[in-house]
Amino acid sequence: MTRKPSIVIQGDRERAGDAVVFLPPAGSATSPYLPVGGRLPPDLLAVHCEMPGRGRLAGEQPAGTVQQVVDRWTADLSRDLAGRRLYLFGHSLGTLFAYEMAGRFTAHPVCEVAGLLISGAREPGHVPRSLIATAFATVRAERRLTDEEGDAEGVHLTADLQMRREYRAAREPVRAPLALLCGRDDKFVRPEEMTEWKKFATGPFFGTFTFDGGHDYYLAGKDLVASTIRELVDRMNQSPKRIRSGK
């Protein structure tokens, strides 16, 4: 049986050139970034990566590691968006997906990773301060999406938090421009703590951007988040120091 695509493309492929790839946070079944993607301009595609074994892909075997999930998404992006410039937006657990994906496309540049937009998480290898029970309660309270997505018991969230705990970064820093985004009241990471990410990306650093709200600030600040992404894409694309993958 043919597998369903693991990515959902929002926008006009013929009209748009570059693509913002949204990597999901812990607990997601469908992409929480669709409202943000819908606010991007027509020349930018929004690409939403979805977790195997959930939502539209519920009939598939769930992936057990960050690397397994990224393997699936990278294959689909390589097939559908070969030759495009990609700007990877990863939030929370999604930051690890973004980091792994950037490494894959650096080694095999079917697509160019033109920017790494890291949101709401400490660097790879950092042990979160919060216990799993605290993380579970806080994320569910802020997001209020798990019941609607068929995860009333928090099974997806629990599995994803375990995936984050078990992840070990095994690659060199990726070659990509970097920007950091964070909610001012995030209980898991403070904006100043995110600067350790600069050790994991060797491209130019475009700054730290803070938003009103907590861990899932993008749910309330959709317009500002979309306009910030647009601004960063423009700046990264125009930078004379922009690093091209594989070169």
Side-chain angles (χ1 to χ4, degrees):
M1 184 175 66
T2 303
R3 294 193 307 180
K4 295 179 181 178
S6 63
I7 60 175
V8 174
I9 297 177
Q10 198 176 13
D12 187 341
R13 295 195 205 193
E14 299 300 322
R15 188 175 179 184
D18 299 345
V20 179
V21 179
F22 290 98
L23 288 309
S28 287
T30 56
S31 177
Y33 310 114
L34 286 165
V36 174
R39 288 165 166 78
L40 295 179
D43 62 334
L44 268 181
L45 289 175
V47 182
H48 304 271
C49 296
E50 298 193 324
M51 296 287 283
R54 305 177 191 177
R56 193 173 52 85
L57 306 179
E60 298 187 9
Q61 179 70 27
T65 67
V66 168
Q67 291 86 349
Q68 288 173 354
V69 181
V70 173
D71 283 344
R72 172 70 184 282
W73 293 332
T74 302
D76 285 352
L77 288 165
S78 297
R79 182 193 63 232
D80 292 351
L81 297 175
R84 306 255 187 173
R85 284 193 298 258
L86 306 182
Y87 298 84
L88 308 182
F89 180 95
H91 176 73
S92 192
L93 175 65
T95 62
L96 301 184
F97 297 144
Y99 174 66
E100 281 289 325
M101 186 175 288
R104 280 161 172 69
F105 281 128
T106 296
H108 304 286
V110 179
C111 300
E112 176 191 348
V113 176
L116 194 58
L117 281 59
I118 295 297
S119 171
R122 292 289 299 263
E123 72 280 3
H126 175 77
V127 178
R129 293 189 304 268
S130 304
L131 297 174
I132 292 300
T134 303
F136 177 89
T138 302
V139 172
R140 288 198 71 189
E142 285 194 1
R143 194 172 302 159
R144 301 187 185 282
L145 291 181
T146 51
D147 290 343
E148 297 175 17
E149 294 184 345
D151 188 25
E153 301 302 321
V155 174
H156 299 332
L157 182 57
T158 300
D160 289 350
L161 292 171
Q162 179 177 346
M163 190 184 298
R164 179 177 178 83
R165 287 202 316 273
E166 294 176 350
Y167 175 77
R168 298 293 181 271
R171 61 175 67 255
E172 296 296 317
V174 297
R175 290 179 288 170
L178 174 70
L180 305 174
L181 301 89
C182 191
R184 293 186 181 92
D185 300 319
D186 195 322
K187 294 180 174 62
F188 299 108
V189 61
R190 294 184 292 272
E192 62 270 20
E193 293 175 325
M194 292 184 63
T195 57
E196 289 295 308
W197 270 100
K198 289 192 282 186
K199 298 177 181 178
F200 291 83
T202 60
F205 179 58
F206 284 82
T208 301
F209 300 80
T210 57
F211 302 85
D212 291 338
H215 188 59
D216 288 341
Y217 63 87
Y218 57 86
L219 294 176
K222 305 174 186 69
D223 290 320
L224 182 56
V225 172
S227 65
T228 301
I229 291 173
R230 166 79 272 181
E231 174 190 349
L232 285 168
V233 167
D234 287 344
R235 289 175 57 198
M236 289 175 170
N237 194 30
Q238 294 168 8
S239 172
K241 296 181 180 180
R242 183 165 61 84
I243 295 174
R244 296 185 66 85
S245 298
K247 296 186 179 180

